[in-house]
Amino acid sequence: MRALVSRFYASLLIAVGALWAPAQAQNLPKSEVRTDQVVATLLAHAPQGVPIGQTPEAAAGQPVWVGLQLTHAKDWHTYWKNAGDSGMPTELHWTLPPGVMAGDVAWPLPAKFPIGHLANYGYDGTVLLPVPLIITPEYKPSPLADALEVKLKASWLVCRQECIPQDGEFALQLPLRSSTALHGAAFDAALKAQPTSVTGEHQIELTDGGQRLAVRVAGLPASVQGQTLEFFPETPNIVVTAATPARPGEPVGPRTWSQHWDGAVWTADIPVSPDRADAPETMPLVLVTADQAQGWRADAPVKGAWPAVAPVAVVSPALEAALAANANANANASAAGTAAVPASAANTSVPTVTFLLALLGAVIGGMVLNLMPCVFPVLAIKVLGFTRHADDRRAHRISGLAYTAGVVLSFLALGALMLALRAAGQQLGWGFQLQSPGVVAGLTVLFTVIGLNLAGVFEFGHFLPSSVASLQARHPVADSLLSGVLAVAVASPCTAPFMGASLGLAVALPAWQALAVFAALGFGMALPYLAASWWPAVARLLPRPGAWMDTFKKFMAFPMFGTAVWLLWVLGQQTGIDGAGALLALLVTLALVLWAFGLQGRTRLLIASLSVAFGAFLLATIGPNVIHTALPAAQAAAAAGERWQPWSRERVQAVLGTGQPVFVDFTAAWCVTCQYNKKTTLANDEVLNAFDAAKVQTFRADWTRRDATITAELNKLGRSGVPVYVLQAPGKPPIVLSEILSVADVKAALGQL
């Protein structure tokens, strides 16, 4: 016995070490984020260490720098503080200890990236954005602290011909009692790339009725006099960014500019942007040599009165026209009954015939839900109940009614909750409960426990009071009702055929009509079992009770484990590999606890106590990973050229604005129908070739985690859950395809373009 206990204790220690190491590793500071376009790294430079408890004057002689280094893939670039005609500057948000402050970004000299009739300012290759840390006397680390923790949340836009927003979270530890100079060369190079401030009689004068700027910059070094310089205004939306140099002897025009030297003063004649959005009194500007080796910064006061500011153009005229055309097309389609339910129609009654058809569609859709793989395990339990009471017709009928009540009441409760939260301003859709990692984890535990019980690993009576353990036998009605509740919990996230349109209509109806649709869905789902419970022929077809039932019971454990595996995969989509791994470890420990309680004598007390303690330890250390939502998959930013791009309303409208049709797959990891369609129809070579032939850009809207923007888009399409498949061409109403997607459906829709 002692040897057994010793081996068990040693195994526990080994398991603790194996699980503790990943738990600690995932908490280590992360200083690098990689995408296909950018490698972003947080660097630090403190050659004289971190000055603690010193006066500002003394601390100034011990510089502490941090910075985000961006290494771009070939042909990709990010942006300067003034991005130019488009783009977005890189943004840095620091989290620092009390008494430590971050200064402004010391922006290196930018480059100009002409793109057709536009131009952007930014960086390619490798660039470091240095930021000084200001260590004040108020910074008082703990006597036991040996490092200053620096955290950064950064976002940047990386572009080639297309643009991808990306972000990342970084952290590093700056040693308090030693120097940090590993990246000194990178910081020295970045600081040398700063523009040098010049003093003198700088001036900008408005000319030609405010349509042009006459710029004069004095104080530049004699070594650059006579050279051609590049002009970068720090204030955005003031000048024509893509203006090109006028040819010698040619007068300047609305999109050209000129420069020359008036002795030691650099002068330029630059056109003002027709979309100007500001009227600054002083304009900071940067001048850079042609080889980008040197640059100078000057603050030039503006002389003259600015004309009225033009309205800010949110989108280009072409895109604005495309948006208007799509809006008109959607309105016409809605009038014809083929597109989304308009927002103005929310909570309004519909014709009686439409309402009755919605109820019929809900009943049929609820019946089809029984074909979903996630519902099979629950139905298997009910079938096992049939075999136990094959001759008890009355028990069958009562069980059928109770199961139906559980299903209908659950649908009504979910529907009422969704309607109430929507009325409170929440953007929720059908299946919202599985968008919560906590709910998914709870269902995974439930199905695992049921599976272990069916497999014979434990019996509830071994560690529950007899009054509780016998509840199922003493209260079969309650057991059937709760089985209906469980069936709805795992079935509702998938909208079967006929069900999607009914749900989409339900959320736009008055409350009593909407709840009637939800009740019809529940009745449809329970109808097959209800009919079987009241049909005597079914009972006669079932085999007689016998020894085979124990084998059948254990066999039914595997559908339970299969459902738990599916839910574990769903959780992995929400919380990442750390969350899924943590839950898997907790499930193994739970199985150990349940098995231990089934033992006898002192062995039960010892092993059960150790397993419970071990489980509590794991729950405290790695348990939080189970409900910690990981970054959305879209933030991984699909590389250019990938077939399925992350969905956003702006991206779709931009593609439609170029005249290209789009196909959107609204999906979720917890939707079994979605995954089936994705692996079969949407991965079919015939479908993919048809997309390519029609030059369709494909997008994927991932609703695995709660996303209010996707929910709102589904509402516009008259849907409240996934899957939803939409094909749309510019200027035409969207085509919403069937939830059960086939190759023929997709090709037929493409033929309508």
Side-chain angles (χ1 to χ4, degrees):
M1 181 64 184
R2 287 183 179 179
L4 174 64
V5 173
S6 299
R7 286 196 296 269
F8 181 78
Y9 186 72
S11 300
L12 284 181
L13 291 179
I14 294 172
V16 168
L19 289 167
W20 175 259
Q24 294 302 307
Q26 61 105 15
N27 288 324
L28 290 176
K30 182 179 181 182
S31 62
E32 183 177 279
V33 170
R34 288 179 173 268
T35 70
D36 291 336
Q37 298 78 27
V38 170
V39 177
T41 310
L42 178 60
L43 305 180
H45 181 54
Q48 301 176 29
V50 178
I52 302 175
Q54 299 186 19
T55 64
E57 293 75 14
Q62 301 182 37
V64 178
W65 290 89
V66 290
L68 184 66
Q69 180 175 273
L70 301 173
T71 302
H72 306 82
K74 188 177 184 298
D75 298 328
W76 292 85
H77 63 269
T78 53
Y79 293 91
W80 186 49
K81 58 166 56 177
N82 173 12
D85 285 319
S86 61
M88 181 178 65
T90 298
E91 296 184 357
L92 308 179
H93 301 281
W94 302 93
T95 301
L96 301 167
V100 181
M101 299 183 295
D104 296 330
V105 177
W107 294 93
L109 299 174
K112 189 173 183 178
F113 299 99
I115 305 176
H117 295 296
L118 304 175
N120 297 326
Y121 303 145
Y123 309 98
D124 58 4
T126 298
V127 64
L128 174 62
L129 305 179
V131 174
L133 289 188
I134 304 168
I135 313 297
T136 70
E138 285 73 28
Y139 174 57
K140 298 177 180 179
S142 165
L144 299 179
D146 59 357
L148 187 159
E149 186 176 28
V150 177
K151 293 183 179 180
L152 169 66
K153 185 172 184 179
S155 61
W156 59 89
L157 184 69
V158 58
C159 298
R160 189 168 58 182
Q161 292 179 341
E162 61 285 334
C163 293
I164 302 174
Q166 299 178 346
D167 58 22
E169 295 188 11
F170 308 81
L172 56 77
Q173 304 281 342
L174 269 174
L176 294 177
R177 299 172 181 85
S178 61
S179 64
T180 303
L182 180 63
H183 303 291
F187 279 90
D188 289 344
L191 295 175
K192 287 179 181 178
Q194 302 300 306
T196 302
S197 296
V198 292
T199 58
E201 296 295 329
H202 314 312
Q203 179 181 294
I204 295 178
E205 183 177 359
L206 288 160
T207 62
D208 193 17
Q211 302 304 308
R212 305 192 70 83
L213 298 178
V215 183
R216 295 178 62 85
V217 178
L220 296 170
S223 59
V224 299
Q225 292 177 13
Q227 292 187 24
T228 299
L229 304 179
E230 190 64 72
F231 172 82
F232 296 93
E234 291 189 1
T235 309
N237 300 324
I238 295 294
V239 303
V240 177
T241 306
T244 56
R247 297 176 181 176
E250 177 186 14
V252 292
R255 299 193 62 82
T256 59
W257 72 296
S258 64
Q259 62 173 299
H260 68 277
W261 288 86
D262 184 5
V265 178
W266 181 85
T267 68
D269 184 7
I270 302 172
V272 173
S273 171
D275 299 322
R276 176 178 58 85
D278 198 0
E281 297 181 357
T282 301
M283 282 187 60
L285 53 91
V286 174
L287 301 177
V288 181
T289 57
D291 59 2
Q292 289 188 284
Q294 292 178 283
W296 300 268
R297 185 183 185 277
D299 290 311
V302 179
K303 181 180 179 181
W306 291 97
V309 176
V312 179
V314 179
V315 295
S316 67
L319 181 55
E320 189 173 9
L323 290 172
N326 288 335
N328 293 334
N330 286 340
N332 294 335
S334 181
T338 59
V341 178
S344 60
N347 297 323
T348 58
S349 298
V350 295
T352 302
V353 174
T354 303
F355 178 61
L356 292 177
L357 288 176
L359 292 179
L360 178 61
V363 171
I364 298 175
M367 293 175 63
V368 177
L369 268 180
N370 289 284
L371 302 178
M372 299 295 153
C374 45
V375 186
F376 286 162
V378 181
L379 294 183
I381 296 177
K382 302 312 298 176
V383 170
L384 186 61
F386 267 140
T387 62
R388 288 172 176 168
H389 307 284
D391 296 324
D392 192 343
R393 183 175 176 183
R394 180 176 179 274
H396 279 174
R397 291 183 173 182
I398 294 176
S399 177
L401 291 173
Y403 178 79
T404 302
V407 172
V408 173
L409 290 175
S410 298
F411 266 93
L412 286 173
L414 280 174
L417 179 59
M418 188 179 76
L419 293 175
L421 291 175
R422 283 197 170 199
Q426 299 290 323
Q427 288 289 347
L428 295 175
W430 192 246
F432 66 92
Q433 67 274 16
L434 284 198
Q435 292 176 332
S436 167
V439 173
V440 175
L443 286 174
T444 307
V445 171
L446 175 62
F447 276 95
T448 301
V449 170
I450 294 175
L452 292 172
N453 174 253
L454 291 174
V457 173
F458 78 100
E459 295 295 338
F460 287 106
H462 286 170
F463 59 94
L464 291 178
S466 58
S467 59
V468 176
S470 61
L471 280 177
Q472 180 182 7
R474 291 187 292 110
H475 301 284
V477 175
D479 176 64
S480 295
L481 188 142
L482 293 176
S483 296
V485 173
L486 180 61
V488 174
V490 296
S492 61
C494 293
T495 52
F498 304 102
M499 188 175 168
S502 297
L503 281 174
L505 179 62
V507 297
L509 291 174
W512 72 271
Q513 288 185 325
L515 291 177
V517 173
F518 289 125
L521 285 166
F523 180 75
M525 180 177 174
L527 185 58
Y529 183 84
L530 179 64
S533 67
W534 282 72
W535 189 20
V538 173
R540 289 194 294 269
L541 292 174
L542 292 174
R544 297 292 178 182
W548 66 270
M549 291 181 59
D550 183 64
T551 302
F552 182 70
K553 171 188 172 183
K554 293 178 179 178
F555 173 78
M556 286 296 101
F558 293 97
M560 296 296 166
F561 294 141
T563 304
V565 169
W566 166 62
L567 289 167
L568 188 67
W569 177 76
V570 171
L571 184 76
Q573 304 297 308
Q574 298 172 330
T575 63
I577 189 63
D578 290 339
L583 180 59
L584 190 58
L586 291 171
L587 291 176
V588 173
T589 308
L590 175 63
L592 172 64
V593 171
L594 294 175
W595 170 79
F597 273 101
L599 299 176
Q600 301 295 325
R602 294 182 179 180
T603 305
R604 171 183 177 177
L605 178 60
L606 177 61
I607 298 181
S609 300
L610 291 175
S611 59
V612 169
F614 182 51
F617 170 75
L618 288 185
L619 189 63
T621 54
I622 66 175
N625 291 331
V626 175
I627 59 175
H628 176 71
T629 304
L631 288 176
Q635 291 186 1
E642 286 191 4
R643 180 178 296 278
W644 294 97
Q645 294 289 312
W647 174 90
S648 75
R649 188 181 295 113
E650 294 76 16
R651 288 177 178 173
V652 169
Q653 294 298 343
V655 172
L656 290 173
T658 65
Q660 186 178 1
V662 299
F663 180 88
V664 183
D665 170 19
F666 291 91
T667 184
W670 37 259
C671 171
V672 179
T673 311
C674 303
Q675 302 309 316
Y676 174 80
N677 291 336
K678 185 185 300 183
K679 300 297 183 183
T680 55
T681 303
L682 294 181
N684 185 280
D685 289 338
E686 193 174 348
V687 169
L688 298 179
N689 292 335
F691 281 145
D692 293 338
K695 297 182 178 180
V696 173
Q697 175 62 61
T698 52
F699 292 91
R700 184 155 280 152
D702 190 349
W703 207 40
T704 300
R705 289 174 290 272
R706 181 179 171 187
D707 189 314
T709 306
I710 294 178
T711 305
E713 194 69 18
L714 290 171
N715 292 341
K716 289 183 179 180
L717 295 167
R719 293 293 187 268
S720 184
V722 290
V724 174
Y725 305 101
V726 180
L727 179 65
Q728 186 171 6
K732 294 184 179 180
I735 301 173
V736 181
L737 284 72
S738 170
E739 287 91 342
I740 300 296
L741 201 60
S742 69
V743 174
D745 292 336
V746 178
K747 295 180 68 174
L750 290 173
Q752 301 179 38
L753 295 179

